[in-house]
Amino acid sequence: DTGVSQNPRHKITKRGQNVTFRCDPISEHNRLYWYRQTLGQGPEFLTYFQNEAQLEKSRLLSDRFSAERPKGSFSTLEIQRTEQGDSAMYLCASSLVGLASNFGPGTRLLVL
Amino acid sequence: SQQGEEDPQALSIQEGENATMNCSYKTSINNLQWYRQNSGRGLVHLILIRSNEREKHSGRLRVTLDTSKKSSSLLITASRAADTASYFCAPANAGGTSYGKLTFGQGTILTVHP
């Protein structure tokens, strides 16, 4: 399968713990995006990369969130000291610049 | 904000009827994309229309774009129960470091009754 994959698909953690999610984009795609989605809402932009460079990070994103894309391939999104408000679906998407984005299945995070 | 704003927020129709969803945005775009999301699932790309295009078709989908009004519409003809989903428009930024970046609105929830 050459689509976007995300791992894990589900994560349950306790408040205060750190979590890390991984996204494997379509191999030739140079753009990689992270979004967060809560029930009844559209995807909320978090950050995106072009190759290994992080081009923009949402102002809504606290310093507990960090993302990397080493070597311009897979990406990781880490949330430190999780809070209950972090519970959401975390979506990754990849694309070539100016073309349609392919979304992964998402990682559903529940913070207890 | 560049994000698309969809209207209506919810739409309920009978199978076989047409469904029209509208999208408005605020600044210059490179293209505008429409996505579908089934309950609890990932987003699926439906169609991309470039800023220099006015209309585009794909199967039962028809998308229009009016850059002077900063608006787009998605028409689904002869709807089916399987079309039940949330539909999002996503304008892609035209320039600067945000070139091509997609932002989403809250979407239109479409329910097609058999």
Side-chain angles (χ1 to χ4, degrees):
Chain A
D1 187 280
T2 58
V4 178
S5 62
Q6 293 187 245
N7 287 288
R9 296 290 307 276
H10 303 272
K11 179 71 176 178
I12 300 174
T13 190
K14 292 182 179 178
R15 189 176 52 185
Q17 298 294 305
N18 299 344
V19 294
T20 300
F21 308 142
R22 176 177 171 128
C23 171
D24 286 273
I26 292 173
S27 58
E28 62 267 27
H29 285 181
N30 50 9
R31 281 280 178 98
L32 187 149
Y33 301 83
W34 284 99
Y35 293 88
R36 176 173 62 190
Q37 187 177 28
T38 54
L39 194 63
Q41 302 296 313
E44 175 192 16
F45 170 78
L46 295 180
T47 187
Y48 78 117
F49 295 82
Q50 182 155 320
N51 300 314
E52 66 274 11
Q54 187 173 20
L55 296 187
E56 188 174 336
K57 184 176 176 180
S58 170
R59 290 171 294 169
L60 300 175
L61 215 57
S62 77
D63 57 6
R64 297 184 297 105
F65 288 72
S66 62
E68 294 182 339
R69 192 184 182 196
K71 303 178 182 178
S73 56
F74 71 92
S75 176
T76 57
L77 176 69
E78 180 183 17
I79 309 174
Q80 296 182 327
R81 305 182 301 282
T82 53
E83 302 172 356
Q84 288 184 324
D86 297 331
S87 296
M89 175 78 89
Y90 289 83
L91 296 166
C92 174
S94 71
S95 75
L96 292 170
V97 177
L99 298 182
S101 290
N102 292 77
F103 277 80
T107 294
R108 187 172 296 280
L109 172 66
L110 177 61
V111 182
L112 301 176
Chain B
S1 171
Q2 175 64 298
Q3 71 182 47
E5 295 182 4
E6 295 88 351
D7 173 68
Q9 291 188 345
L11 183 59
S12 182
I13 60 174
Q14 294 296 126
E15 209 166 27
E17 294 180 340
N18 295 343
T20 299
M21 288 159 268
N22 302 297
C23 169
S24 60
Y25 58 92
K26 294 183 179 177
T27 58
S28 297
I29 61 170
N30 172 267
N31 63 71
L32 187 141
Q33 302 177 31
W34 284 89
Y35 289 81
R36 182 187 73 218
Q37 185 177 38
N38 292 87
S39 180
R41 310 287 289 276
L43 280 83
V44 174
H45 177 259
L46 295 176
I47 198 163
L48 180 154
I49 186 165
R50 301 200 179 282
S51 59
N52 61 353
E53 297 177 311
R54 292 297 167 257
E55 188 171 312
K56 200 161 184 179
H57 297 254
S58 176
R60 293 184 297 113
L61 306 180
R62 172 178 168 254
V63 167
T64 63
L65 179 65
D66 186 335
T67 53
S68 67
K69 295 181 179 178
K70 293 185 169 55
S71 67
S72 175
S73 68
L74 171 67
L75 169 68
I76 304 174
T77 60
S79 63
R80 305 167 182 169
D83 294 329
T84 295
S86 293
Y87 291 82
F88 297 93
C89 74
N93 282 22
T97 57
S98 295
Y99 175 76
K101 169 188 161 187
L102 295 181
T103 51
F104 293 81
Q106 293 195 3
T108 293
I109 300 173
L110 173 66
T111 304
V112 182
H113 300 281

